[in-house]
Amino acid sequence: GLKKHPPESAEERRLICAPAVLRLRPFMAEPPPKFCVVIPCCNEEESIPALVEKLVPALEAATAGSWRIVFVDDGSRDRTARMIWELHARDPRFQGLRLSRNFGHQPAVWTGLQHARGECIGVIDCDLHNGNGQATMLFTDLTHAYVDENMGTS
């Protein structure tokens, strides 16, 4: 069986007992950014650093710093939730939702979309399977073509 990752603090123990969705911080404290990226993740502690390293410079260039990333932790048993907390502590543009258990990829995406705020909202995989370049390219297409929806596949 899977070895359970013990909570590292009282705050994490409280979070594990929380209902299905938990926000790390309120999203509406400031005006919506130009682009918000929803990233569902489950046991992605190895993927998150590479994702941030590649995605943030692309977002900075495409939006002049007006971006937000909403991670949805879909019941991870590794350090994924802690890494999201640490990112948020460094930069509040990193937001997070933590599901109480693994509900699956599509429910995690739906949850992220329900909480995302931005002029444009995109969804990418944490492992960059569908690429960060594609997400920023879609944002550019949306802002220059004045369309309501654009969908891309890898």
Side-chain angles (χ1 to χ4, degrees), residues 43-87:
N43 299 323
E44 298 285 357
E45 70 179 315
E46 293 180 8
S47 300
I48 289 175
L51 168 92
V52 170
E53 182 180 322
K54 292 179 181 179
L55 184 58
V56 169
L59 290 172
E60 287 287 336
T63 68
S66 181
W67 56 267
R68 180 174 295 147
I69 295 175
V70 177
F71 290 98
V72 182
D73 180 4
D74 188 22
S76 296
R77 295 188 177 273
D78 63 1
R79 295 188 67 248
T80 297
R82 175 159 296 284
M83 294 177 84
I84 296 167
W85 276 97
E86 289 168 358
L87 286 169

Side-chain angles (χ1 to χ4, degrees), residues 48-140:
I48 289 175
L51 168 92
V52 170
E53 182 180 322
K54 292 179 181 179
L55 184 58
V56 169
L59 290 172
E60 287 287 336
T63 68
S66 181
W67 56 267
R68 180 174 295 147
I69 295 175
V70 177
F71 290 98
V72 182
D73 180 4
D74 188 22
S76 296
R77 295 188 177 273
D78 63 1
R79 295 188 67 248
T80 297
R82 175 159 296 284
M83 294 177 84
I84 296 167
W85 276 97
E86 289 168 358
L87 286 169
H88 179 75
R90 274 194 350 230
D91 187 337
R93 293 178 292 182
F94 292 103
Q95 296 286 308
L97 300 166
R98 187 172 189 194
L99 303 183
S100 62
R101 64 173 178 85
N102 182 273
F103 287 90
H105 185 265
Q106 293 306 315
V109 168
W110 181 86
T111 301
L113 290 173
Q114 295 301 308
H115 294 275
R117 300 290 179 264
E119 294 175 20
C120 293
I121 299 171
V123 178
I124 64 169
D125 291 336
C126 195
D127 62 5
L128 293 177
H129 177 70
N130 57 359
N132 66 298
Q134 185 177 29
T136 55
M137 183 174 59
L138 290 174
F139 169 76
T140 303

